[in-house]
Amino acid sequence: MACGKPPDPSRVTPPASSGNLAVHHANETFEDVRQQVARLGPGDQLDQIMDRANRALERAVASGANQKTINRLKAQFDNLRGLARERMRANVNGPAEPKAEGAQPTDAKLAFRNFSESAAQRNSRPIITAIESKSNYQHEEVKQQILKIVDRQEELGSTYRDQLVTDVARVLEICPSAAGIVKALTFRGQKEGMTLMKDIASRGNKAIGSAYELMGTAALGQKTSTASNTKHAAPDLRINVGKDHVAFGAKSHINSSFPDGKTPVSPTRKTIESDIHIGRKTPDGYREIGVDFKHVKDAGSKSLDRRRGRDVNQIENVAKALQTGDLHEYHFVTNGRFSEPFKEAIDKANDELVANGNDPIGLHEHVSTLVNDPLSDGKAS
């Protein structure tokens, strides 16, 4: 029988609790993730390691650790999120290079000035992933920033707001160089990027002015829209994802025409602006297609705006751009329907276009991604 003094209880190390283990694991995970974030550019790998850090935090929260410890871990995770966003800024001038320990963060002002279409293409995929995956470490803040950019007046109902975020992901798949959106989300929450709240423009991409421009673009990337013209059959409309080049707010310059071969007739405006401009390669060359989105409340009727002949003036100049070859197609798209006066104005312009061998202006009704939009089946049709 062994003899001796019993162990001193004050010197016995108690078994580690599950809370202590989870906190220890989170701290180790965060340190490992911090080192990897510095080496990686934005993309699937960075998302995966941030997801790993997020799971470690969730386990620590669920372990019963005290609130002070949990708050400290959450602060560390927020710091990791900031480092990951900094990697998006580092991805602007070129593919993000590994950052040496202690190196200064990317100059946000310089990155902001140098943002380009290629920068948008590099950063669009991580943003799409963040939108589509609710478990993604940036999902909620990306969602809120999109709404802040597009729904500045907070006038959209909850149905439109929910759909809008999904549609932005579709638009970035259709047009990864939609630099305005990607730029705003790359620099979200920073003083240097706040000017984008008024105008999310960057080289070649004017501000996307309404939720319906995003919704309509997303719809046209999903299904072909058949024109609703009754007098002149207009071309179908669809965005060929991966093939067409899509730009927002593009302007087409109108040349003077010579109806009698001698006397120039100047248009009433120098350019025709399209909400989206589709550039399409064809066997015969290149086709320029303009699209104007007309949103109407409750998917009702789009009337003819007679203020200073606004709509008539637009239609006449669109016809002139088609006649002079500055555009090959033009389409008006609405989530509702077009009024009879609007259709009559289009028919009048199309009479001359068709007589001269040009494609008629197209009208497209009930184009929406909302299944529960009145009069819409949720598809471009």
Side-chain angles (χ1 to χ4, degrees), residues 5-37:
K5 293 181 180 180
D8 183 349
S10 66
R11 294 179 178 271
V12 176
T13 303
S17 68
S18 60
N20 288 336
L21 287 173
V23 169
H24 179 72
H25 173 71
N27 281 314
E28 285 194 332
T29 300
F30 288 173
E31 183 54 38
D32 182 51
V33 167
R34 188 184 310 279
Q35 294 177 23
Q36 291 193 60
V37 166

Side-chain angles (χ1 to χ4, degrees), residues 219-230 232-240 244 276 278 280 282 287-291 328-333 359-365 367 380-381:
L220 292 172
Q222 293 171 354
K223 190 174 180 179
T224 300
S225 175
T226 301
S228 60
N229 301 50
T230 53
H232 300 288
D236 290 344
L237 178 61
R238 177 168 187 161
I239 298 170
N240 298 319
D244 292 340
I276 62 169
I278 304 170
R280 178 174 299 160
T282 68
R287 201 160 178 81
E288 308 276 358
I289 303 168
V291 179
H328 299 99
E329 290 179 32
Y330 202 90
H331 303 265
F332 289 101
V333 177
D359 281 330
I361 299 166
L363 293 175
H364 299 261
E365 300 176 314
V367 176
S381 60

Side-chain angles (χ1 to χ4, degrees), residues 142-323:
V142 166
K143 176 181 176 180
Q144 293 307 317
Q145 191 70 6
I146 289 170
L147 295 174
K148 186 177 180 182
I149 293 165
V150 183
D151 190 20
R152 294 188 294 273
Q153 305 302 320
E154 297 186 355
E155 295 177 346
L156 293 174
S158 59
T159 302
Y160 268 80
R161 286 169 69 88
D162 290 344
Q163 184 63 37
L164 175 61
V165 177
T166 300
D167 287 344
V168 167
R170 298 288 80 76
V171 169
L172 291 181
E173 288 177 342
I174 292 167
C175 183
S177 59
I181 300 172
V182 184
K183 186 175 186 180
L185 296 176
T186 298
F187 294 90
R188 60 191 178 277
Q190 296 183 18
K191 185 177 179 180
E192 290 82 359
M194 291 307 288
T195 56
L196 298 174
M197 299 306 102
K198 295 181 180 178
D199 184 65
I200 56 175
S202 68
R203 302 177 188 179
N205 285 275
K206 193 178 178 182
I208 299 173
S210 73
Y212 184 57
E213 291 174 25
L214 296 167
M215 180 180 287
T217 302
L220 292 172
Q222 293 171 354
K223 190 174 180 179
T224 300
S225 175
T226 301
S228 60
N229 301 50
T230 53
K231 187 174 182 181
H232 300 288
D236 290 344
L237 178 61
R238 177 168 187 161
I239 298 170
N240 298 319
V241 181
K243 295 181 179 179
D244 292 340
H245 180 272
V246 180
F248 288 87
K251 287 180 168 61
S252 303
H253 291 272
I254 306 175
N255 297 316
S256 297
S257 59
F258 297 81
D260 59 2
K262 298 177 182 179
T263 308
V265 177
S266 298
T268 54
R269 61 176 79 181
K270 293 181 180 180
T271 61
I272 288 295
E273 186 170 337
S274 306
D275 288 331
I276 62 169
H277 180 277
I278 304 170
R280 178 174 299 160
K281 289 184 179 179
T282 68
D284 302 324
Y286 202 73
R287 201 160 178 81
E288 308 276 358
I289 303 168
V291 179
D292 185 64
F293 292 108
K294 304 287 190 184
H295 182 266
V296 288
K297 187 177 181 180
D298 299 325
S301 177
K302 171 63 182 82
S303 60
L304 188 69
D305 190 341
R306 300 183 186 278
R307 290 173 295 176
R308 298 189 299 276
R310 186 173 176 176
D311 280 342
V312 172
N313 175 264
Q314 181 187 12
I315 292 167
E316 288 175 348
N317 281 283
V318 164
K320 194 172 293 292
L322 292 168
Q323 288 172 334

Side-chain angles (χ1 to χ4, degrees), residues 18 22 53 57 61 87 102 104 106 116 120 130 147 167 220 312 315 351 353 371:
S18 60
L57 175 61
V61 171
R87 298 306 286 151
Q104 290 294 315
T106 303
S116 63
L147 295 174
D167 287 344
L220 292 172
V312 172
I315 292 167
D351 286 341
L353 285 169
V371 174

Side-chain angles (χ1 to χ4, degrees), residues 41-186:
D44 291 344
Q45 280 187 290
L46 190 146
D47 286 346
Q48 288 166 11
I49 66 166
M50 286 298 296
D51 186 50
R52 180 176 150 225
N54 193 31
R55 290 196 305 271
L57 175 61
E58 289 174 348
R59 283 195 292 270
V61 171
S63 71
N66 66 67
Q67 193 58 48
K68 186 176 181 180
T69 299
I70 295 303
N71 289 344
R72 187 173 67 249
L73 290 175
K74 287 182 176 179
Q76 289 185 62
F77 184 74
D78 285 342
N79 180 261
L80 288 175
R81 268 202 294 230
L83 293 175
R85 286 197 296 269
E86 196 275 329
R87 298 306 286 151
M88 292 193 73
R89 297 196 299 274
N91 206 40
V92 167
N93 291 333
E97 297 289 340
K99 188 174 73 172
E101 186 174 350
Q104 290 294 315
T106 303
D107 187 301
K109 290 183 179 179
L110 180 62
F112 186 86
R113 287 199 302 269
N114 292 344
F115 204 89
S116 63
E117 273 199 11
S118 59
Q121 289 175 325
R122 280 190 292 274
N123 283 356
S124 62
R125 176 48 57 183
I127 291 172
I128 292 171
T129 302
I131 293 170
E132 294 180 332
S133 174
K134 291 184 178 180
S135 64
N136 186 276
Y137 71 100
Q138 2 178 39
H139 173 77
E140 193 57 34
E141 58 181 322
V142 166
K143 176 181 176 180
Q144 293 307 317
Q145 191 70 6
I146 289 170
L147 295 174
K148 186 177 180 182
I149 293 165
V150 183
D151 190 20
R152 294 188 294 273
Q153 305 302 320
E154 297 186 355
E155 295 177 346
L156 293 174
S158 59
T159 302
Y160 268 80
R161 286 169 69 88
D162 290 344
Q163 184 63 37
L164 175 61
V165 177
T166 300
D167 287 344
V168 167
R170 298 288 80 76
V171 169
L172 291 181
E173 288 177 342
I174 292 167
C175 183
S177 59
I181 300 172
V182 184
K183 186 175 186 180
L185 296 176
T186 298

